[in-house]
């Protein structure tokens, strides 16, 4: 019996690509399980599927000086110990990790148990969790060709994109949000939890934007603005679990520059203005992603610290005006790589010799 363990979390971008691969992987494995954090966003996302979810203690490194960082070794040790127990009891054949701090204990546990571990790195450079996990990995799959050449056991596969994104028409997407009229739809998305900075800048020029666009704003649960509810031409959505509707409705987009969002926008042929997360708030990966695709003529880009109301409005208008050229440039990139990624995961699982009593049992007292 072959059992696959999926892991990854901390943000939706470390979870949803795993689920994009589900249709293919479930044809190849007897059982598919997910290991994530106790209260992270990945738990909420996986709960909407039929995949069994198990939780472990996890801890995130804060890049600023913080007393909470002192607890990292203790909590990480707990997480690895519990992950090892789960992997044994679930009789894991292979572990597939999309990274993030949530995945680190599972990856380390897999390495110590000699269970094949396949990682996927979405960004131009490896995140901290994947840098550590790569020491134990059978293969490190990458979205960018340049990244694979810099990593031991690196294999360029491209990025996983959910097949479900392609099943909605433009009209269906607009009706989903109640959007009418002939104005183009501007999709604004700042990541799974929303971006306070992008929200502030967009709302600062909302009067001008709604003269030209219907603004579909995925603002984040904590950033919903009751006073703007019902404003003509403005459609607020705290969180969208079915991005197929948002992408189908959109004619142009403003987005953070997380790799998953970038590849989804390319797959859906949506011209976009990227506003990467600043280095002060990240490791700089989104800036790398955005600069790469700006140089290739696929997207426009503006740094958050350079934004003025006039410049932001100009860049949005230019993105829409040049939409055909941007879309044509995006066609040079293979973004729908699920088959290749699934193949590497299956291939790795075949390297794992069958163990006695291979029938998986649910770990007691571990189901979240």
């Amino acid at each position: 019996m072959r059992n696959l363990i999926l892991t990854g979390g901390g943000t939706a971008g470390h979870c949803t690509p795993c689920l994009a691969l589900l249709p293919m992987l479930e044809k190849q494995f007897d059982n598919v399980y997910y290991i994530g954090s106790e209260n992270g966003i990945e738990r909420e996302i996986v709960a909407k599927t039929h995949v069994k979810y198990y939780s472990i203690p996890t801890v995130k490194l804060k890049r600023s000086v913080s007393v909470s960082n002192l607890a990292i070794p203790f909590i990480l040790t707990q997480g690895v110990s519990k992950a090892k127990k789960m992997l044994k009891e679930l009789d894991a054949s292979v572990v597939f990790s999309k990274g993030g701090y949530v995945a680190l204990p599972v990856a380390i546990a897999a390495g110590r148990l000699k269970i094949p571990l396949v990682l996927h790195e979405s960004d131009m450079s490896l995140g901290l969790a994947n840098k550590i996990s790569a020491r134990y990995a059978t293969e490190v799959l990458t979205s960018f060709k340049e990244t694979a050449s810099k990593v031991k056991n690196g294999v360029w596969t491209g990025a996983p994109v959910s097949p479900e994104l392609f099943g909605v028409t433009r009209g269906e997407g607009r009706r989903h949000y109640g959007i009418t009229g002939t104005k183009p739809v501007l999709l604004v998305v700042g990541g799974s939890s929303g971006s306070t900075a992008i929200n502030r800048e967009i709302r600062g020029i909302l009067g001008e934007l709604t003269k030209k666009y219907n603004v579909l704003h995925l603002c984040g649960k904590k950033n919903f603005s009751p006073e703007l509810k019902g404003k003509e031409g403005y459609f607020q959505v705290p969180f969208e679990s079915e991005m197929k509707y948002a992408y189908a409705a959109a004619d142009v987009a403003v987005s953070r520059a997380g790799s998953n969002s970038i590849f989804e926008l390319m797959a859906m042929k949506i011209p976009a203005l990227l506003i990467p997360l600043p280095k002060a708030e990240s490791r700089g990966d989104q800036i790398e992603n955005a600069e790469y695709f700006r140089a290739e003529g696929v997207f426009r880009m503006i740094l958050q610290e350079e934004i003025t109301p006039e410049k932001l409005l100009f860049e949005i208008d230019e993105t829409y005006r040049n939409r055909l050229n941007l879309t044509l440039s995006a066609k040079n990139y293979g973004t729908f790589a699920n088959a290749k990624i699934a193949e590497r995961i299956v291939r790795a699982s075949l390297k794992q010799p069958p163990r006695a009593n291979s029938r998986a049992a649910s770990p007691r007292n571990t189901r979240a």
Side-chain angles (χ1 to χ4, degrees):
M1 182 172 287
R2 288 196 298 170
N3 300 317
L4 169 66
I5 308 299
L6 303 175
T7 188
T11 67
H14 288 300
C15 173
T16 52
C18 288
L19 304 185
L21 297 168
L22 266 182
M24 289 185 172
L25 294 174
E26 287 184 319
K27 295 177 182 178
Q28 302 293 332
F29 291 90
D30 297 290
N31 298 290
V32 179
Y33 306 106
Y34 203 104
I35 299 179
S37 64
E38 294 166 350
N39 298 299
I41 192 172
E42 64 280 358
R43 179 178 179 176
E44 180 181 339
I45 294 171
V46 176
K48 296 176 182 178
T49 74
H50 56 274
V51 176
K52 291 184 179 179
Y53 185 93
Y54 301 94
S55 65
I56 59 172
T58 60
V59 61
K60 181 179 181 180
L61 172 68
K62 293 187 177 179
R63 296 184 181 274
S64 57
V65 177
S66 174
V67 175
S68 64
N69 285 341
L70 298 176
I72 290 177
F74 175 71
I75 299 176
L76 181 60
T77 299
Q78 280 188 322
V80 172
S81 177
K82 193 167 184 179
K84 285 177 67 176
K85 182 180 179 181
M86 285 183 181
L87 293 178
K88 288 178 182 178
E89 294 187 5
L90 291 172
D91 195 25
S93 302
V94 62
V95 172
F96 176 65
S97 169
K98 266 304 287 134
Y101 67 91
V102 169
L104 183 57
V106 186
I108 293 174
R112 292 179 180 176
L113 292 173
K114 308 299 182 184
I115 297 171
L117 169 66
V118 180
L119 307 181
H120 186 276
E121 177 56 61
S122 296
D123 295 309
M124 280 286 291
S125 60
L126 267 65
L128 178 59
N130 269 353
K131 282 183 180 178
I132 299 172
S133 301
R135 303 171 190 172
Y136 307 98
T138 305
E139 289 185 330
V140 179
L141 314 183
T142 66
S143 291
F144 293 88
K145 188 174 184 178
E146 292 81 354
T147 309
S149 62
K150 301 175 184 178
V151 183
K152 182 181 179 182
N153 296 330
V155 178
W156 175 47
T157 59
V161 176
S162 175
E164 292 185 358
L165 295 180
F166 299 88
V168 180
T169 66
R170 185 169 182 267
E172 289 171 335
R174 289 188 163 209
R175 285 193 294 274
H176 182 76
Y177 301 104
I179 300 174
T180 59
T182 59
K183 288 188 294 186
V185 174
L186 170 65
L187 172 65
V188 180
V189 55
S192 56
S193 58
S195 165
T196 301
I198 291 179
N199 291 347
R200 180 181 63 247
E201 299 294 348
I202 288 294
R203 287 168 176 162
I205 58 172
L206 198 54
E208 291 299 313
L209 286 175
T210 53
K211 291 178 183 178
K212 306 174 184 179
Y213 308 95
N214 282 305
V215 179
L216 175 57
H217 190 179
L218 309 190
C219 59
K221 292 181 179 179
K222 296 181 179 179
N223 298 306
F224 187 83
S225 179
E227 61 269 24
L228 291 174
K229 186 177 180 180
K231 179 177 175 58
E232 185 178 355
Y234 182 61
F235 303 83
Q236 281 186 102
V237 181
F239 178 75
E240 180 57 85
S241 60
E242 296 186 278
M243 286 297 296
K244 59 185 180 182
Y245 292 108
Y247 288 141
D251 295 293
V252 61
V254 171
S255 174
R256 280 298 193 198
S259 179
N260 294 315
S261 295
I262 283 177
F263 281 99
E264 287 179 352
L265 287 165
M266 281 198 294
M268 300 307 295
K269 299 180 175 60
I270 300 172
L273 170 64
L274 302 180
I275 306 176
L277 199 64
K279 278 191 174 181
E281 302 175 39
S282 69
R283 61 185 178 87
D285 51 299
Q286 290 199 10
I287 295 176
E288 291 178 338
N289 296 340
E291 287 181 337
Y292 177 88
F293 283 112
R294 178 177 64 175
E296 296 297 315
V298 177
F299 296 112
R300 294 182 71 88
M301 166 189 168
I302 182 173
L303 294 176
Q304 184 172 301
E305 53 269 30
E306 296 177 350
I307 292 177
T308 64
E310 296 77 17
K311 189 168 185 178
L312 180 56
L313 188 60
F314 171 81
E315 289 292 339
I316 292 172
D317 288 342
E318 283 297 289
T319 302
Y320 182 67
R321 188 176 67 82
N322 289 301
R323 60 191 181 280
L324 295 180
N325 290 333
L326 295 172
T327 301
L328 286 172
S329 296
K331 288 183 178 179
N332 295 326
Y333 294 87
T335 62
F336 198 63
N338 296 24
K340 190 172 183 180
I341 296 172
E343 177 189 344
R344 307 303 299 197
I345 297 170
V346 172
R347 185 181 299 179
S349 74
L350 296 175
K351 297 178 182 179
Q352 173 74 355
R355 295 190 291 275
N357 301 319
S358 62
R359 192 174 182 178
S362 296
R364 292 184 298 273
N365 301 321
T366 56
R367 182 70 187 272

